[in-house]
Amino acid sequence: PFFNELTEKALSLQLADPIFWAVMLAFTILTGLLAGSYPALYLSSFNPVRVLKGAVQTGKQASLPRQVLVVMQFAFSITFMIGTIVIYQQIQHGKNRPIGFNNKGLISVQYSEDLKKNFDPLRNELLASGAVVSVCRTNSPPFQIQSNNSNWEWKGSQPVDKSVIFSTIATSYDYAQTMGIVLKAGRDFSREFATDSSGVLLNEAAVKRMGLKSPVGETVKWGDTELRVIGVVPDMQMESPFRAISPLTIVFSKTWTNFINVRINPTVSASEAIRKIRPIFDRHNPGFPFDYKFADDEYAKKFNYEELIGNLSLMVSLLAVFISCLGLFGLASFMAEQRTKEIGIRKVLGASVLNITTLLSKDFLKLVVLSIAIASPVAYYAMSQWLQSYEYKITVGADVFLMVTLVAVFIALLTVSFQAVKAALTNPVKSLRSE
């Protein structure tokens, strides 16, 4: 259930399917055979006479496979840890990006024919309710752009520029106020100017693409229609927060609109505002339920994919670190057992607990450092490739690798220290006698 909730899937275990159990049984047997084959072959290769005489010694060559496995495990863990941090940083980078308008307290309702006919009385009642401060209508919701057009001309444009794609939003009055936009230049569409029906607003990306130094007052053409630039809005993030913002034109239209956008009074709670707004919409749109969406909630959904990847990566990282620690703990136990006599002699000669602990720990730190050296370039390449799919992205900095290095070393020391301290505290007389 937790995995289904995390991934928004509906997976289930096929417990009644015999094939499921056959596959699981085969997988379990295969895993057991693979895991047990090396120690079985290794132990069976001993010469019985030498074993009974106690002449079997395990040197560096014998411990090499164990060390290789631990290095590989930690390398995988460190790779996942670096990936998880990079994904988290990329998500935060997108969330911290300025969106150019205020999406808090902004709701969007899709038009029906009744709402189109009753827009003016609906707007008046909403404003009179005290729960709403501004209303506008557009051809797309605040968290999405549903129209893209070409065939634009401007001063100094070339014939090839007609193929340039501009995002287009159609609206009427009160757009900037409802959206919470602070204009960079000029003004919004106004009822006080009859000529605004032939006006257009540009975003900063469009101004830059057209190369207009003083855009307000300039004339642009859309097909055969001449439009006068009356204002410049900031680059508004309505599509993917990880993509470059497209040039945008905002044109005036009372008919080419499909959504009603409502700015809730900031002094009224969202629940109270919805309670007051709902009966007004029901009255003017009796054939349809009041179906609304908060702009900030819909914007947050744009991060769902990255957050899912990040959460899955975190889970795999924790599992990989846990398995690596088991391997490191086992290796530390084995090495401490192998060096029991050495530790006893060192203690008799005056070595302290700290000296013994340091002696045993430094060998494992070398393995961890080797793991970091192997994992870092792999993780850097993998995450750089992953980031290539984003136009608005972070750069993988050295701070990530430093952070993971410190965490990996700390985890390794924590894992090894238990066995190291235990070996260092053992009575040397007892260890020498038993050896």
Side-chain angles (χ1 to χ4, degrees), residues 16 18 33 37 50 63 126 157 171-172 230 249 275 279 285 294 315 325 327 338:
L33 289 173
S37 60
R50 289 174 58 83
S63 65
L126 289 172
S157 65
T171 185
S172 53
I230 63 171
T249 56
R275 188 184 66 80
N285 191 33
F294 278 94
M315 293 171 62
C325 288
Q338 291 296 109

Side-chain angles (χ1 to χ4, degrees), residues 28-49:
T28 303
I29 293 173
L30 179 63
T31 304
L33 289 173
L34 289 175
S37 60
Y38 173 74
L41 292 172
Y42 183 78
L43 291 173
S44 63
S45 67
F46 287 161
N47 186 318
V49 176

Side-chain angles (χ1 to χ4, degrees), residues 223-271:
D224 296 328
T225 306
E226 286 195 354
L227 301 171
R228 185 172 59 88
V229 179
I230 63 171
V232 177
V233 300
D235 287 337
M236 294 182 291
Q237 186 52 259
M238 294 181 173
E239 296 296 319
S240 169
F242 304 109
R243 301 290 182 192
I245 295 178
S246 304
L248 171 68
T249 56
I250 303 174
V251 298
F252 184 92
S253 177
K254 290 185 177 181
T255 56
W256 183 24
T257 52
N258 302 307
F259 293 87
I260 296 176
N261 305 311
V262 179
R263 168 68 58 185
I264 293 175
N265 191 331
T267 63
V268 179
S269 67
S271 58

Side-chain angles (χ1 to χ4, degrees), residues 29 45 55 80 91 146 152 158 187 189 191 206-207 223 250 275 277 281-282 310 315 324 334 351 391:
I29 293 173
S45 67
F80 280 117
I91 293 171
Q146 298 183 345
W152 286 87
Q158 303 298 319
R187 57 177 178 80
F189 298 109
R191 295 176 179 82
V207 171
I250 303 174
R275 188 184 66 80
I277 291 171
F281 271 92
D282 290 343
M315 293 171 62
S324 300
F334 176 79
E391 295 177 42

